[in-house]
Amino acid sequence: MMASIGEFDPLNTRVPATKIEVTVSCRSLLDVDTFSKSDPGMYEPFRFGRTEVIDNTRNPDFVRKFVLDFFFEEKQNLRFDVYNVDSRSCNISKHDFLGQTFCTLGEIIGSTGGRLERTLSGIPGKKCGVIILTAEELSNCRDIATMQLCANKLDKKDFFGKSDPFLVFYRSNEDGTFTICHKTEVIKNTLNPVWQSFTIPVRALCNGDYDRTVKVDVYDWDRDGSHDFIGEFTTSYRELSRGQNQFNVYEVRHNMEMACYFIPPSSYKDLPTSLHYMSPYQMNAYAMALKAVGEIIQDYDSDKLFPAYGFGAKLPPDGKISHAFPLNGDNDNPNCVGIEGVLETYFQSLRAVQLYGPTNFAPVINKVANCAAEITDGSQYFVLLMITDGVISDMVQTKEAVVNAASLPLSIIIVGVGPAEFDAMEELDGDEVRVSSRGRLAERDIVQFVPFRDYIDRSGNQVLSMARLAKDVLAEIPDQLLSFMKSRGIEPRPALSSSPLPQLHRHI
């Protein structure tokens, strides 16, 4: 599923009246897969955003939302296109078009209960199904919640095994319906699952209304998409939060128990399941990515001084939220000495700040781009390494930042760690479709994105995992450096010249 904005520029306009979250569902989509159901998702070169891909279903309820600025006095035209996704390619021509609809944001908001149902069209002679668009004004709540759930004595649904359970969270609506807001991972072949802890914005869970009903459904996963319903229970954020540092136990219909452990914010990074967990025995995913890329690229930096920034945290002493803060706390000199200095500063920063959403990339990219803009004579080239465990929250602003930075001596490496759906990140990697913003194409492809999980060695060999990661993410840097030099007519220096080679400056 993809959404496009027509005749509306979210970057250059007046201050919006409010922010609106649009949730998308589809029913009775065309079945274009020969041996399975369709895999609906969203792709387009000039899009505002896209959903995740859901496998093997003609009736998807997408978890990923579209957040739009709403202007009452303006007509904000929207287009929603649905595609059957058969590969990870960002090239729209490689996916099957399932239908589209056009509307305005005002039409969705003005519909009864903020729910607009439209017939999909675009394929002559075919009934393309229905799209359901639900709008809700977002509150200003910036809290995040982290919880972990487990279950006991679930129903056995599989004939030759136990069950493969997963959870789906919904928030209630005024008209008695529910809006999906989170899915857990699937735990295979067990009646007593323990799901990984997860973090969710309170705004997504209940839109800041602590007493709003939250429903949790339990399903048994099936490969063909026809998941079996096991049971459900209801709660609220207020009820969940009463269980800080202890278990809340819920009776689930069909005589089973569900326990939810609500984790206080100060403890997130101290959990063994946290991607930032500092184990005495092995490096976490962030540290592995830093070390893998840093130890190679630091050989090409003469002073070995690396500015290191964090994004998405509340900073001491007043809890101010920042999306581009120096890890060492020194705004005048954010440099760390060598990759070991970066790692040490990262661990020290974890003890001092409180992790906080959303995940905004644009501020850090713009900060490093400003540095690169000061030296464009070919004597220096900048590499920005960004490591994230969250789906990007400011895609429009980030694409604008990347397009602007593409004319500078800068490359950007993005490493996604953890189990999050990183599909949206692929559109920043311009290998197939060049990044664009407001009708402008990026001058060069400067972004390389990889999910770290694709490089983890199954035997647990961290050295091998790091080597695989470094090889792939750094492979494009030489060509990107050359493309900048050629675009500026900068010739290689003679081999016997005493002038140094261009210096790579790495930002983290």
Side-chain angles (χ1 to χ4, degrees):
M1 168 62 58
M2 68 117 238
S4 300
I5 293 181
E7 300 177 1
F8 174 64
D9 184 354
L11 289 175
N12 293 288
T13 188
R14 294 183 295 280
V15 176
T18 187
K19 285 188 177 292
I20 300 295
E21 179 187 83
V22 178
T23 301
V24 183
S25 297
C26 297
R27 296 293 180 265
S28 302
L29 293 176
L30 281 172
D31 191 359
V32 295
D33 285 345
T34 304
F35 298 106
S36 63
K37 302 185 181 77
S38 293
D39 308 319
M42 175 189 75
Y43 283 86
E44 189 183 67
F46 302 103
R47 58 183 171 265
F48 172 76
R50 67 177 182 177
T51 65
E52 75 279 15
V53 176
I54 301 179
D55 293 336
N56 295 327
T57 181
R58 297 175 60 204
N59 303 293
D61 295 311
F62 295 103
V63 176
R64 192 175 299 159
K65 322 291 185 183
F66 302 114
V67 177
L68 303 171
D69 291 333
F70 173 57
F71 301 84
F72 176 79
E73 71 280 8
E74 296 184 10
K75 185 177 183 180
Q76 296 170 244
N77 296 312
L78 304 175
R79 188 183 89 200
F80 295 86
D81 290 358
V82 186
Y83 290 88
N84 178 53
V85 177
D86 289 320
S87 71
R88 296 182 61 182
S89 173
C90 292
N91 189 336
I92 192 173
S93 65
K94 296 185 179 180
H95 305 290
D96 300 317
F97 177 68
L98 298 181
Q100 67 181 187
T101 194
F102 299 84
C103 66
T104 67
L105 184 56
E107 284 183 280
I108 307 175
I109 296 171
S111 299
T112 303
R115 184 178 185 273
L116 178 66
E117 186 171 315
R118 283 283 178 85
T119 299
L120 291 167
S121 61
I123 303 179
K126 296 284 188 179
K127 291 183 178 180
C128 299
V130 172
I131 186 170
I132 303 165
L133 307 169
T134 307
E136 181 170 351
E137 180 180 353
L138 288 176
S139 71
N140 291 322
C141 177
R142 298 293 180 183
D143 295 341
I144 58 175
T146 295
M147 63 189 81
Q148 185 171 23
L149 289 93
C150 61
N152 188 36
K153 299 179 181 177
L154 294 180
D155 282 353
K156 180 179 179 294
K157 294 293 183 179
D158 292 342
F159 186 76
F160 292 107
K162 297 177 182 178
S163 289
D164 305 318
F166 68 97
L167 304 177
V168 183
F169 285 70
Y170 305 85
R171 63 171 184 250
S172 62
N173 301 316
E174 291 183 359
D175 61 359
T177 61
F178 288 87
T179 297
I180 189 170
C181 55
H182 181 73
K183 285 182 183 178
T184 68
E185 76 280 13
V186 176
I187 305 294
K188 292 292 188 70
N189 197 32
T190 181
L191 303 182
N192 303 292
V194 178
W195 289 277
Q196 292 183 7
S197 63
F198 66 91
T199 298
I200 184 172
V202 173
R203 193 163 71 172
L205 191 65
C206 64
N207 204 12
D209 180 355
Y210 287 12
D211 296 308
R212 186 171 180 172
T213 298
V214 175
K215 181 167 74 83
V216 182
D217 286 351
V218 189
Y219 287 94
D220 169 46
W221 176 86
D222 288 322
R223 186 180 301 276
D224 64 1
S226 59
H227 311 307
D228 301 314
F229 179 73
I230 295 178
E232 67 177 29
F233 69 92
T234 58
T235 183
S236 67
Y237 177 72
R238 189 180 303 280
E239 186 176 347
L240 287 168
S241 62
R242 289 195 185 108
Q244 291 200 26
N245 291 316
Q246 63 184 15
F247 282 100
N248 283 334
V249 179
Y250 299 93
E251 186 75 21
V252 182
R253 195 172 66 189
H254 296 166
N255 297 317
M256 70 190 85
E257 286 187 345
M258 181 76 67
C260 176
Y261 185 68
F262 190 92
I263 304 160
S266 60
S267 303
Y268 295 167
K269 52 185 175 285
D270 299 326
L271 292 169
T273 53
S274 168
L275 294 165
H276 289 284
Y277 180 64
M278 294 181 285
S279 168
Y281 306 109
Q282 62 182 10
M283 289 184 290
N284 64 33
Y286 277 82
M288 287 174 65
L290 278 170
K291 192 175 179 67
V293 179
E295 287 193 337
I296 291 178
I297 208 168
Q298 73 175 350
D299 290 342
Y300 302 92
D301 189 304
S302 58
D303 60 15
K304 304 294 188 292
L305 296 178
F306 302 128
Y309 299 96
F311 53 97
K314 285 184 174 180
L315 308 183
D318 56 359
K320 181 181 178 181
I321 302 169
S322 176
H323 297 289
F325 61 92
L327 290 184
N328 63 5
D330 189 342
N331 285 298
D332 296 325
N333 182 18
N335 290 325
C336 303
V337 180
I339 189 59
E340 293 302 326
V342 174
L343 288 168
E344 182 180 350
T345 306
Y346 158 63
F347 289 127
Q348 290 175 350
S349 181
L350 275 181
R351 300 184 182 97
V353 305
Q354 178 183 329
L355 306 180
Y356 204 77
T359 304
N360 292 344
F361 279 21
V364 169
I365 294 175
N366 288 330
K367 182 181 285 289
V368 177
N370 289 337
C371 297
E374 296 177 359
I375 309 171
T376 59
D377 61 358
S379 62
Q380 296 186 22
Y381 194 85
F382 294 75
V383 178
L384 170 61
L385 170 64
M386 303 186 73
I387 305 172
T388 180
D389 61 3
V391 176
I392 189 169
S393 303
D394 63 338
M395 180 60 78
V396 173
Q397 293 83 357
T398 296
K399 288 201 289 188
E400 176 78 1
V402 169
V403 170
N404 291 336
S407 63
L408 301 172
L410 172 64
S411 290
I412 302 172
I413 297 170
I414 304 174
V415 179
V417 297
E421 290 288 344
F422 292 115
D423 290 353
M425 300 289 197
E426 298 288 350
E427 62 186 288
L428 295 176
D429 192 328
D431 287 344
E432 295 189 28
V433 179
R434 190 69 59 82
V435 179
S436 65
S437 174
R438 296 187 293 164
R440 290 192 305 135
L441 285 172
E443 184 178 313
R444 302 181 296 126
D445 171 23
I446 64 169
V447 178
Q448 170 77 338
F449 167 76
V450 295
F452 191 21
R453 58 176 174 252
D454 291 354
Y455 299 88
I456 295 177
D457 180 64
R458 293 182 179 179
S459 67
N461 187 326
Q462 287 194 343
V463 174
L464 186 56
S465 300
M466 291 161 61
R468 289 171 175 170
L469 174 71
K471 181 180 179 180
D472 262 21
V473 299
L474 294 174
E476 295 184 8
I477 298 296
D479 285 342
Q480 290 175 358
L481 184 150
L482 287 175
S483 71
F484 171 79
M485 299 300 179
K486 289 179 179 178
S487 70
R488 297 297 179 271
I490 301 173
E491 297 290 335
R493 294 187 176 94
L496 298 179
S497 170
S498 59
S499 300
L501 291 171
Q503 291 296 306
L504 287 180
H505 283 257
R506 179 169 177 264
H507 288 64
I508 299 169

